[in-house]
Amino acid sequence: MRNSRVAYPLTWRVMDMLENVCARIWPASLHRLLPYLMLLPAVVLVGLLVLGLFQIGDASLRVLDTSTFLFSEDYSLENYRQAITSGFFAVVASRSLMGSVIVTVITLLFALPYAYLMVRTQSSGLRKFLLVALFLPFFIGQVVRAYGWLIILGNQGMVNEALGLVGVPPVRLLYNYPAVLFGLIQYMLPFAVLMLAPALTAIPEELESAAGSLGANWVRTFRHIVLPLARPGLVGAGLVVMTLSLTDFAIPAILGGGSQDFIANAIYDQFFRTSNQGLGAALSLMLVAVGSIMVGVVFAVFGAGTLAMTGGRK
Amino acid sequence: MSDQKLLSMPVSRRSVLGTIAAAGAATVFSPLGATRVFAQEPEKPSEIIVRAWGGSWVDSLKAGVSDSFTKMTGIAVRHDLTEDNEIQPKVWAAVAQKRVPPIHVNWDTTTNATKSALRGVTEDLSDLPNLKNTTDLAKPVGLDGYPIVNTYGYVYVLAYRPSAFPDGPPTSWKDLLDPKLKGRIALYNDGIGFHFPAQVAGGGKLEDIPGNMQPAWDFIAKIKEQQPLLGEDPDFTTWFQKGEIDAACTISTNAREAKKNGIELAWVVPEEGAKFDTDGLWIPKGLPENELYWAKQYINHALDKEAQQVWLDGLGLPGVVPGLTPPADLANDPSYPTTEEAFKHLIRISSKVQVENESVWFAKFKEIMQG
């Protein structure tokens, strides 16, 4: 009796019991449906968001009556007309779109060599340093980081103090478009590096060695081997950076000095400042549409990159 | 006399600044009297939630109103520091869905509160006993009854750094156009507080608001050339402190608070005038009866002379109860108007006109500044 207990311990019996329970709940005949079951939470989550989107769609078609601060019962496209014809929204939209493109290009330019060095270096110390340098700001919230830049770049900040030491009067480094772009690039860099690193890791080092042995210098190797093979990572990182930049709120609000609003800031104003949720909803849906079109164009031109669904290994 | 009866007593419009009769009435409804009537009141909630602004604002409210209310009733007061414009949609949604609202009392700008009143989500407060002792300032302009009770007024002054004006204080809003101030001035990011003086500075008339505000837009366009910073209350203090700006259109309380914190700062009401506005307290619909009762008692207590004195000493703002003593540093200060003469230099536009046109003004201001 004692031996049999040792041979078949209690934990195994518990596992058997659990397995029996699971078999009753989810019989073997349903095993092929297991992947779909695992997909269910994500589908529910996205479904809820889609439901919210329908509600936003409904609100976008209702006009605010400022004598009662109630929304119209009837549907109309007035909010969309206002959003399209307003000079202010046009300025903000073009600023956001241009900003997201500039931030994406510069971030990828910075992220690629960083990620390449991080995955290729033979020095574990350097790799650790690069990882820590990457993750440290990642753990600090966007707002805190933006305020950090206020301290560094302000009129009495570290940079201006350093300039003062060589006789340069204080320079306004903050509260302009370049300051917003700078803040966004710094914020986006870890995202881009993290998305590029797996793509670069997947490139066999032997290919680069082979190119070198055939006489290619590092520039040619980088151009003809690394860049083409890193394209899925570049596309994935580019998409993430572009969409996050396009919809960012905090950095333009804090580093823009109130005069460099992006679309998200304009949406916030409509929802919370003028109480015009209808116009805010219309702007939100237009932002979703513009972001989706941009992603669609990138997919069409460059492919889906690491976000591709086909996934088959060739 | 039960307080229930008191609450249902008819309330007549009050005359202007304090009278002896009002002072006598204030004594009747003093905290001592209130303690006596509270003995027969509905069940007390364990706490009431009052939305407030943070920093020195909530500190003043706590010191002047909330702490003494708790002492008097035993009901704790929790301050919810959600921004006023962010709590608004939550309250509106709760009322629309017939849920209990997330707060009992909303400390709000009168303009913002007027939107809620127009939407019909505010409780009527015209039966508050202490309203008898208040000045006309307590009554929201352009609304029927008391969906909001204004509790004090404030002025959007021209705050400036004296060292940046060696020839003396600025006298006009046009002084902000001085080239030496390029990139050194600040306004609220929605232009609030600046539209009306800009109308005058731009050569227009206040009577033309809202019909013709082109003079205001023209003047704001000139100000835009000065590359102003645009922000919210806390930004002004930070910007003055960090040497980013030399002048700003801001509420006098912020300027006074910054000065208290050691920042070199002074303020004026320029010759074109300065916007005068009010903040108030209101109660959202949908509270259980007993909680509504105690929320009303809270607002009633906020109109008590003693509570007003402590609360508004902290804010440095003129209250709505006659006979309050201005803080020593604000005696005869134009940002603390107490006489009719002082009010002549201030610009007050009905909240209803403001809320009906706010989004248009806001968009126009943004269009100019963001262009």
Side-chain angles (χ1 to χ4, degrees):
Chain A
M1 191 66 182
R2 193 173 177 180
N3 282 344
S4 77
R5 275 192 183 179
V6 171
Y8 206 75
L10 181 65
T11 48
W12 291 19
R13 289 170 194 275
V14 172
M15 291 302 291
D16 283 350
M17 197 171 68
L18 287 174
E19 208 171 292
N20 282 334
V21 171
C22 287
R24 282 176 192 277
I25 296 171
W26 197 259
S29 58
L30 295 178
H31 276 185
R32 62 193 171 80
L33 297 176
L34 195 61
Y36 297 101
L37 182 73
M38 295 174 76
L39 202 61
L40 194 61
V43 170
V44 169
L45 198 65
V46 173
L48 284 173
L49 289 174
V50 170
L51 277 180
L53 214 55
F54 276 117
Q55 200 167 356
I56 290 177
D58 180 85
S60 74
L61 296 171
R62 297 178 188 276
V63 182
L64 179 71
D65 177 355
T66 55
S67 64
T68 61
F69 276 83
L70 293 168
F71 288 91
S72 64
E73 292 295 323
D74 304 328
Y75 288 130
S76 87
L77 294 172
E78 173 59 24
N79 289 324
Y80 290 95
R81 187 200 63 76
Q82 202 178 332
I84 290 166
T85 56
S86 158
F88 164 58
F89 293 132
V91 167
V92 169
S94 57
R95 178 185 297 139
S96 310
L97 286 168
M98 181 66 76
S100 66
V101 171
I102 294 171
V103 168
T104 304
V105 171
I106 296 178
T107 304
L108 289 182
L109 281 176
F110 288 167
L112 186 61
Y114 193 106
Y116 185 79
L117 184 61
M118 199 172 74
V119 300
R120 285 287 190 260
T121 181
Q122 300 300 313
S123 161
S124 66
L126 179 60
R127 185 176 297 112
K128 281 174 189 162
F129 170 77
L130 291 172
L131 276 169
V132 169
L134 182 70
F135 277 104
L136 206 60
F138 208 56
F139 295 141
I140 303 169
Q142 190 186 11
V143 173
V144 177
R145 256 195 276 180
Y147 275 107
W149 286 121
L150 294 186
I151 294 167
I152 294 167
L153 300 176
N155 268 16
Q156 296 175 354
M158 288 159 59
V159 173
N160 267 315
E161 277 188 13
L163 290 174
L165 293 175
V166 292
V168 178
V171 182
R172 171 59 58 78
L173 299 169
L174 288 170
Y175 311 127
N176 47 42
Y177 196 43
V180 173
L181 298 183
F182 176 78
L184 281 171
I185 290 165
Q186 198 267 343
Y187 176 59
M188 298 298 167
L189 197 59
F191 290 102
V193 172
L194 283 175
M195 295 214 58
L196 273 170
L200 292 172
T201 310
I203 303 171
E205 276 189 85
E206 294 83 356
L207 284 181
E208 292 172 58
S209 304
S213 69
L214 291 171
N217 59 21
W218 74 268
V219 177
R220 291 189 71 190
T221 305
F222 195 77
R223 186 180 159 200
H224 294 291
I225 305 290
V226 178
L227 270 185
L229 292 175
R231 197 173 80 165
L234 286 168
V235 172
L239 283 172
V240 168
V241 171
M242 191 166 64
T243 48
L244 288 180
S245 303
L246 181 67
T247 55
D248 199 71
F249 174 85
I251 299 277
I254 297 169
L255 298 183
S259 59
Q260 304 297 331
D261 284 359
F262 273 31
I263 301 176
N265 306 94
I267 292 170
Y268 175 90
D269 286 341
Q270 295 309 321
F271 271 101
F272 296 109
R273 211 179 286 274
T274 62
S275 311
N276 194 345
Q277 293 171 14
L279 184 53
L283 287 170
S284 303
L285 287 183
M286 289 169 76
L287 176 59
V288 170
V290 169
S292 303
I293 289 169
M294 285 174 76
V295 170
V297 168
V298 171
F299 275 9
V301 176
F302 300 106
T306 48
L307 304 175
M309 301 294 170
T310 47
R313 204 170 165 178
K314 294 175 183 172
Chain B
M1 187 186 287
S2 79
D3 211 47
Q4 199 64 50
K5 283 181 184 170
L6 284 177
L7 287 172
S8 60
M9 281 171 66
V11 178
S12 60
R13 280 289 298 270
R14 298 145 319 287
S15 57
V16 201
L17 307 164
T19 62
I20 295 170
T27 312
V28 172
F29 298 106
S30 68
L32 184 65
T35 308
R36 196 170 59 243
V37 288
F38 285 167
Q40 304 163 27
E41 305 308 341
E43 184 192 350
K44 290 176 181 175
S46 58
E47 65 170 12
I48 64 167
I49 303 167
V50 178
R51 193 220 72 83
W53 290 283
S56 61
W57 294 82
V58 70
D59 292 343
S60 305
L61 181 75
K62 185 173 182 298
V65 185
S66 301
D67 285 350
S68 49
F69 178 78
T70 301
K71 192 176 174 188
M72 195 168 65
T73 62
I75 300 171
V77 178
R78 179 148 60 93
H79 298 106
D80 179 336
L81 302 185
T82 306
E83 273 297 312
D84 52 349
N85 48 11
E86 289 174 9
I87 200 79
Q88 187 186 63
K90 293 180 185 177
V91 171
W92 287 8
V95 175
Q97 294 161 11
K98 301 191 186 308
R99 288 186 284 113
V100 175
I103 52 170
H104 292 89
V105 176
N106 197 2
W107 183 14
D108 207 352
T109 64
T110 301
T111 307
N112 221 14
T114 300
K115 293 180 194 173
S116 296
L118 290 171
R119 195 180 162 101
V121 302
T122 56
E123 289 282 359
D124 178 38
L125 301 172
S126 53
D127 54 1
L128 296 183
N130 278 344
L131 275 176
K132 282 183 175 177
N133 315 323
T134 58
T135 65
D136 275 346
L137 198 58
K139 173 84 175 75
V141 180
L143 293 174
D144 295 330
Y146 283 87
I148 313 151
V149 173
N150 295 331
T151 46
Y152 56 83
Y154 54 89
V155 180
Y156 289 89
V157 294
L158 171 50
Y160 65 98
R161 191 190 304 278
S163 60
F165 292 83
D167 301 330
T171 56
S172 164
W173 291 104
K174 290 175 196 162
D175 290 347
L176 296 179
L177 298 174
D178 189 329
K180 74 178 180 188
L181 292 177
K182 189 162 189 172
R184 305 286 305 166
I185 62 175
L187 304 174
Y188 284 99
N189 54 17
D190 51 6
I192 193 167
F194 196 65
H195 296 129
F196 308 146
Q199 171 83 353
V200 181
K205 294 177 181 170
L206 292 174
E207 302 85 82
D208 291 340
I209 295 173
N212 173 23
M213 291 186 64
Q214 195 52 44
W217 308 133
D218 291 343
F219 186 70
I220 289 168
K222 286 181 190 170
I223 289 286
K224 156 53 169 160
E225 299 305 313
Q226 291 288 79
Q227 300 173 359
L229 298 188
L230 305 173
E232 310 257 0
D233 286 331
D235 297 321
F236 293 104
T237 312
T238 308
W239 289 336
F240 271 120
Q241 196 162 19
K242 301 282 180 194
E244 300 279 354
I245 56 171
D246 292 324
C249 171
T250 186
I251 295 173
S252 57
T253 303
N254 297 325
R256 183 174 177 246
E257 191 60 23
K259 193 178 177 184
K260 275 185 184 173
N261 290 336
I263 302 171
E264 179 209 9
L265 210 59
W267 54 88
V268 292
V269 170
E271 61 195 18
E272 295 90 353
K275 186 188 176 191
F276 178 83
D277 216 329
T278 50
D279 285 346
L281 299 172
W282 60 276
I283 299 172
K285 283 185 174 169
L287 290 174
E289 277 299 313
N290 66 320
E291 294 180 24
L292 169 62
Y293 176 87
W294 290 106
K296 281 187 171 185
Q297 291 304 330
Y298 181 88
I299 297 181
N300 192 50
H301 178 62
L303 299 174
D304 175 78
K305 188 176 174 185
E306 200 176 320
Q308 282 251 308
Q309 184 71 62
V310 178
W311 180 19
L312 301 178
D313 271 359
L315 296 177
L317 297 173
V320 295
V321 177
L324 296 177
T325 311
D329 60 318
L330 292 176
N332 301 317
D333 191 295
S335 71
Y336 195 104
T338 52
T339 61
E340 270 190 47
E341 181 59 28
F343 273 100
K344 278 183 188 167
H345 299 291
L346 302 174
I347 303 168
R348 193 176 184 200
I349 303 287
S350 135
S351 295
K352 194 160 185 289
V353 171
Q354 289 192 55
V355 298
E356 284 179 354
N357 296 280
E358 183 190 55
S359 55
V360 177
W361 296 344
F362 180 79
K364 185 69 186 173
F365 182 86
K366 284 265 179 180
E367 190 177 327
I368 294 169
M369 288 298 171
Q370 300 273 338

